[in-house]
């Protein structure tokens, strides 16, 4: 066994072997995989191993397509069969919402040249004569859908890795992982120890136990999951070809051919957790007792759709464990609090994703960043707040609604609240509907008397659409109070504060006390890793404001630049609360509460100062993400309720009131402001989003300056644009493809809203550079159907920025 390695992968299941293969393929050949038992000894060996390409997330679709293509290449490359069957998959829509979802996926497939298209009932019946298509409103077909042999695939990854020099040690558990002072790791096993640069936790069902070896807790919990295989079905025996799989997600089951019978699996309402307190070390190739009663309702729906299922006996039942994260997506990426510790855990559709995740994991470790924006899968999307109770409640919800549509703007209630601010109760009393942002409950909008308190969900405009419009119009006319406490807030103090910030961020830090700047943070490939507001409060004191949901994600970047001696960085996110007071009467409102001079001459745009508002000490910044005249005020958490009451009461006297974050989304899009996680991501270069104007190459070195320099003079591949869209009852929400009128795909929406104060349905999106100019007609696939759109030259709200600077 090697004593030194570039990476030690712990876990020889599907994903561990894929990561090992990709590390070796990308040039790290001094890599070792440790498996406590035989390869495939966790969830992998008993999986149904269905594969699908299309996903609601575009980047997951891209990595799933990579995975599906890889299996065939792997077979050729290694000679190891992967048991790939690709008879296609039929996707059925029983409801209007499902039809919208499938049509949107079909439009996305056209943009990415993926094979996924609508078929009529006659064609569907030809493809799968055993399905009763009555009541189905829309059918899509994915010719590459199918299934693989779970152990064949795992062995093929292992063979490909070995061929490139990787070592695999079976029956060799990792028993300790110890970080060394130089940042490297020692991994101990009963057969010896290995010193390694990276540790990869790919321990599947035992991910929690392996994480604990490094002092880490992962929000994961296993459940049971069942499928069964029928006896031979005579029609299949005489078919002479393999039938496509059936994704009848409204029926909450999956179905495909296995041998000469059918395999049916289900995510039941009455789900069952397993090994909540920890996965037993001696668990191996075991299964749980059959419990088909639990999935009876799902099976009855499958029988109604495919009557042949009920006409033959059951040959075998598989009831095995799988391990889930709170949102059912992988926990992926380097752990921000540990150096060089990578996780890839909680995979549910592992066979659709193993190749893509293995590739992105190898890119991340070797090159410092994956080529696709993986924020939705990044383990940093959860923080310490995602404890056991939250994880369990969310997993229960995820499992039992596995195939339920996740609508845009949907806020699921399970496991909440986990993190609240003092004003939570008051806001609730005021009619607030809350959303979840990095664990925090934050107001989305406020229902007035008589309005329903429960949000409806769907792809079309829902019951919050009107109330949000009322808030937006109120702010634009008078004044609105927006709770911004969920922004990430940091303080940097000490003699090296300015130098440190200049070494981290791409803009030049404010030299004068009371000045602020906007600054991008640059990623390893020169893209946008973050956007922040930095203000200088004193000679040696700065405050930084950034995306709340990216707080843990950004730690990786902050830690990459060592703090000078005597300089301190602190997260103030929990300690401070904030409000954005915005709108044409915001000055009047604040002036009634403070003696500080608020005229533009005394308090210009982009300045900050400490002052008191109604006797409460605040840091006030003259900025507003609404694009309107406004201030952000930050006070200590214990003063939040008092400040909020004062501001809301004052606003009411001026015809204003509270505004939620849905309103803020509409306001900022009307003004054309981009936002982290949507318009700004590591996949886009600053010159594509317009943020290049904020980068100061002449100020000296800063984090990833070289990476930016390497791409700075490249012409934009895509450009950020704004479009207005002709719609009836649905606005874009993000992800909708953009086409030329002749159907040529040119881009996609990143944020979509109704611009209430300008009376237009709007979207910010990226389009291929040079593919269209202002005034050109385009189409946007809202609900998957083409809708006429116009490329706008300037944002429709206050393009000159007069309101902001008033
Ligand atoms: C009934 C069922 C049906 C499924 N059907 C599908 C499907 O149709 N399509 C699909 O895509 N997915 C399906 N899945 C999910 C799929 O099985 C998983 O996504 C996948 O197997 C996860 O692989 P993994 O490598 O992450 O974990 P695992 O397979 O659990 O592998 C982890 C490995 O780590 C090893 N290990 C643990 N601790 C240590 C240690 N300390 N040292 C060394 N080694 C260690 C274990 O022995 C194990 O081999 C199904 C799952 C179940 C239960």
């Amino acid at each position: 066994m090697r004593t030194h390695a570039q990476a030690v992968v712990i876990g020889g299941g599907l994903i561990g072997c894929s990561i090992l293969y990709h590390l070796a393929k990308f040039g790290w050949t001094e890599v070792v995989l440790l498996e406590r038992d035989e390869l495939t000894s966790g969830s992998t060996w008993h999986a149904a191993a269905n594969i699908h390409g299309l996903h609601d997330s575009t980047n997951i679709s891209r990595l799933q397509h990579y995975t599906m293509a890889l299996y065939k290449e792997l077979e050729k490359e290694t000679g190891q069969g992967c048991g790939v069957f690709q008879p296609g998959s039929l996707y059925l829509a029983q409801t209007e919402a499902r039809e919208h979802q499938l049509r949107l996926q079909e439009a996305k497939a056209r943009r990415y040249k993926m094979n996924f298209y609508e078929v009529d009932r006659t064609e569907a019946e030809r493809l799968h004569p055993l399905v009763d298509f009555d009541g189905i409103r829309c059918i899509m077909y994915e010719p590459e859908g199918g299934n693989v042999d779970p152990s064949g695939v795992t062995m093929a990854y292992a063979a490909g890795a070995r061929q490139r020099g990787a070592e695999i040690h079976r029956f060799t558990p990792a028993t300790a992982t110890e970080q060394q002072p130089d940042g490297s790791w020692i991994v101990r096993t009963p057969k010896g120890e290995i010193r390694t640069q990276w540790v990869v936790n790919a321990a599947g069902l035992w991910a929690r136990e392996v994480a604990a070896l490094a002092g880490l807790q992962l929000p994961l919990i296993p459940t049971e999951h069942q499928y069964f295989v029928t006896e031979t079905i005579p029609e299949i025996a005489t078919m002479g070809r393999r039938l496509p799989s059936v994704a009848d997600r409204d029926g909450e089951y999956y179905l495909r051919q296995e041998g000469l019978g059918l395999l049916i699996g289900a995510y039941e309402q009455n789900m069952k957790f397993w090994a909540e307190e920890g996965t037993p070390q001696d668990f191996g190739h075991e299964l749980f007792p059959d419990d088909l009663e639990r999935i009876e309702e799902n099976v009855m729906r499958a029988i109604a759709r495919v009557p042949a299922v009920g006409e033959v006996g059951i040959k075998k039942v598989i009831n095995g464990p799988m391990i889930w994260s709170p949102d059912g997506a992988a926990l992926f990426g380097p752990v921000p609090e540990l150096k060089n510790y990578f996780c890839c855990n909680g995979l549910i559709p592992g066979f659709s994703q193993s190749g893509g995740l293995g590739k992105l994991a190898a890119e991340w470790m070797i090159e410092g960043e994956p080529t696709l924006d993986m924020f939705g899968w990044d383990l940093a999307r959860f923080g310490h707040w995602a404890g056991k109770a939250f994880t369990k409640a969310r997993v229960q919800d995820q499992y039992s609604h596995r195939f339920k549509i996740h609508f845009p703007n949907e806020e699921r209630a399970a496991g909440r609240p986990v993190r609240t601010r003092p004003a939570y109760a008051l806001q609730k009393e005021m009619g607030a509907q809350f959303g979840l942002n990095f664990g925090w409950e934050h107001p989305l909008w406020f229902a007035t008397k008589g309005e329903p308190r429960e949000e409806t969900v769907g792809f079309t405009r829902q019951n919050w659409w009107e109330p949000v419009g009322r808030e937006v119009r109120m702010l634009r006319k008078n004044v609105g109070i927006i709770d911004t406490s969920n922004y990430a807030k940091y303080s940097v103090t000490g003699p090296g504060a300015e130098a440190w910030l200049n070494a981290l961020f791409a803009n030049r830090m404010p030299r004068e006390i009371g000045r602020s700047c906007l600054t991008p943070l640059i990623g390893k490939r020169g893209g946008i890793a973050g956007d922040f507001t930095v203000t200088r409060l004193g000679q040696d004191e700065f405050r930084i404001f950034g995306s709340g949901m990216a707080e843990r994600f950004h730690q990786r970047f902050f830690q990459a630049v060592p703090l000078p001696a005597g300089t301190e960085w602190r997260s103030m996110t929990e300690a401070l609360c904030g409000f954005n007071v915005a709108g044409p009467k915001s000055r009047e409102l604040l002036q009634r509460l403070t003696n500080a001079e608020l005229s533009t001459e005394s308090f210009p745009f982009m300045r900050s100062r400490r002052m008191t508002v109604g006797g409460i000490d605040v840091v006030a910044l003259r900025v507003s993400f609404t694009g309107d005249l406004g201030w952000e005020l930050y006070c200590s958490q214990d003063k939040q309720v008092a400040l909020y009451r004062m501001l809301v009461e004052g606003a009411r006297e001026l015809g204003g009131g509270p505004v939620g974050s849905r309103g803020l989304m509409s306001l900022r899009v009307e003004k054309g402001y981009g936002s982290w996680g949507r318009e700004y991501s590591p996949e886009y270069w600053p010159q594509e989003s317009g943020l290049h104007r904020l980068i100061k190459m002449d100020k000296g070195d800063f984090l990833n300056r070289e990476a930016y320099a390497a791409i700075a003079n490249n012409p934009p591949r895509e450009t950020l644009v704004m479009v207005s869209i002709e719609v009836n009852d649905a606005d874009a929400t993000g992800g909708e493809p953009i086409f030329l009128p002749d159907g040529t795909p040119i881009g996609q929406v990143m944020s979509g809203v109704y611009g209430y104060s300008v009376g237009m349905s709007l979207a910010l999106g990226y389009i291929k550079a040079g593919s269209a100019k202002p005034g050109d007609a385009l189409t946007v696939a809202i609900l998957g159907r083409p809708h006429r759109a116009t490329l706008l030259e300037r944002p429709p709200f206050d393009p000159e920025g007069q309101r902001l600077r008033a």
Side-chain angles (χ1 to χ4, degrees), residues 9-18 33-52 71 146-148 150 154 169 171-176 188-189 201-207 209-210 213 223-227 254 256 263 265 267 281 283-285 287-288 318-323 344-354:
V9 179
I10 303 174
L14 172 69
I15 195 62
C17 291
S18 172
L33 183 143
L34 303 175
E35 167 53 50
R36 59 174 196 119
D37 201 297
E38 277 290 1
L39 296 182
T40 78
S41 292
S43 286
T44 298
W45 71 274
H46 53 65
N50 301 313
I51 52 171
H52 296 278
Y71 290 142
N147 66 284
V148 292
T154 311
H169 298 281
F171 302 100
T172 312
T175 51
R188 297 191 196 280
T189 80
N201 179 347
L205 289 175
W206 294 265
E209 288 69 28
V210 167
L213 299 177
T223 68
E224 294 189 9
H225 177 59
Q226 292 183 91
Y227 66 83
Y254 52 84
R256 70 163 170 86
L263 177 156
Y267 291 95
Q281 286 299 331
F283 187 82
H285 276 244
L287 291 170
F288 308 127
I318 300 282
N319 185 7
M322 63 208 310
I323 191 160
C344 187
N345 309 118
L347 269 78
I348 301 305
F351 288 89
S352 300
Q353 300 181 349
S354 68

Side-chain angles (χ1 to χ4, degrees), residues 94 141 202 204 219-220 246 310 359 381 389 443 457 490 535 584 656 672 713 725:
Q94 294 190 34
Y141 183 54
L220 289 167
V246 179
K359 175 174 182 273
R381 70 190 181 281
V457 292
Y490 313 101
T535 197
N713 294 321
I725 314 171

Side-chain angles (χ1 to χ4, degrees), residues 291-593:
D291 189 0
L292 285 181
E293 242 175 62
R294 242 182 30 236
I295 62 169
E296 194 179 331
E297 280 182 26
N298 312 56
V299 174
M300 293 315 287
R301 287 192 288 269
I303 292 174
R305 187 63 57 207
V306 185
V309 173
E311 289 160 12
V312 289
I314 290 173
K315 192 160 100 184
K316 71 169 175 187
V317 181
I318 300 282
N319 185 7
M322 63 208 310
I323 191 160
W324 297 69
S325 76
D327 59 6
L331 295 181
F332 188 62
V335 174
E337 298 76 20
L338 294 174
K339 191 169 165 27
N340 290 359
Y341 190 100
F342 199 97
C343 286
C344 187
N345 309 118
L347 269 78
I348 301 305
F351 288 89
S352 300
Q353 300 181 349
S354 68
L357 288 176
K359 175 174 182 273
L360 294 166
E363 287 174 355
W364 210 334
M365 281 181 268
I366 297 173
E367 296 163 15
E369 194 177 276
T371 44
L372 294 181
D373 173 17
M374 289 302 292
F375 187 74
W377 270 253
D378 190 329
L379 59 86
R381 70 190 181 281
F382 296 110
H384 60 83
W385 48 269
K388 251 182 172 175
F390 176 81
T391 304
K392 189 172 174 187
R394 297 298 270 193
V395 168
Q396 174 154 25
D397 184 52
Q398 282 295 327
Y399 184 100
S400 52
H401 299 120
R402 175 73 186 142
F403 292 140
K404 194 168 169 267
I405 299 171
H406 290 240
F407 291 105
N409 293 308
E410 181 175 354
E411 296 284 347
R412 293 164 89 154
R416 293 167 54 197
V418 273
R419 281 176 121 186
T420 56
R421 301 281 188 178
Y424 174 70
L426 174 61
Q427 288 168 335
K428 208 168 180 179
E429 224 173 84
M430 286 162 60
Q433 306 301 300
F434 292 91
L436 192 68
N437 184 310
F438 201 57
W440 296 111
E441 295 294 326
H442 70 109
L444 299 171
W445 57 280
F446 293 81
T448 52
K449 274 206 186 89
E451 278 175 351
R453 295 287 175 119
E454 288 285 303
E455 272 199 349
T456 55
V457 292
F459 290 106
T460 52
R461 290 175 184 162
Q462 299 297 308
N463 65 351
W464 50 266
W465 194 86
E466 274 302 335
V468 170
R470 181 177 64 223
E471 291 173 13
V472 167
R473 283 186 287 264
M474 173 183 75
L475 183 147
R476 287 280 190 240
K477 183 162 175 255
N478 298 315
V479 56
I481 312 299
I482 304 171
D483 190 337
T484 57
S485 305
N486 60 335
Y487 290 5
K489 308 166 220 88
Y490 313 101
S491 130
V492 187
T493 50
E498 181 179 357
W500 184 75
L501 288 166
N502 268 319
L504 176 69
F505 292 127
N507 201 348
R508 183 173 289 113
M509 292 301 109
R511 288 182 179 139
E512 240 178 78
I513 295 170
R515 281 198 183 259
S516 307
C517 74
L518 302 175
T519 177
L521 176 72
I522 300 297
K524 273 275 178 193
R525 297 179 192 276
I528 307 159
D531 69 315
F532 296 84
T533 303
V534 182
T535 197
R536 187 166 201 154
L537 293 179
Q539 191 49 38
D540 293 339
E541 185 182 8
F542 291 80
R543 276 283 150 80
I544 310 166
F545 303 90
S547 163
M549 67 177 180
E551 174 149 13
R552 200 169 166 219
F553 171 87
H554 283 140
Q555 299 317 305
R556 298 193 185 110
F557 297 85
F558 292 178
Q559 284 158 16
V561 181
L563 274 170
T567 300
E568 197 195 4
W569 173 94
R570 256 186 316 151
S571 170
M572 307 290 283
T573 305
E574 297 202 8
L576 296 180
C577 290
F579 298 107
N580 187 348
V581 183
K585 294 189 183 165
S586 56
R587 179 179 284 127
E588 192 182 340
L589 164 60
L590 285 179
Q591 203 65 84
R592 291 180 183 187
L593 299 169

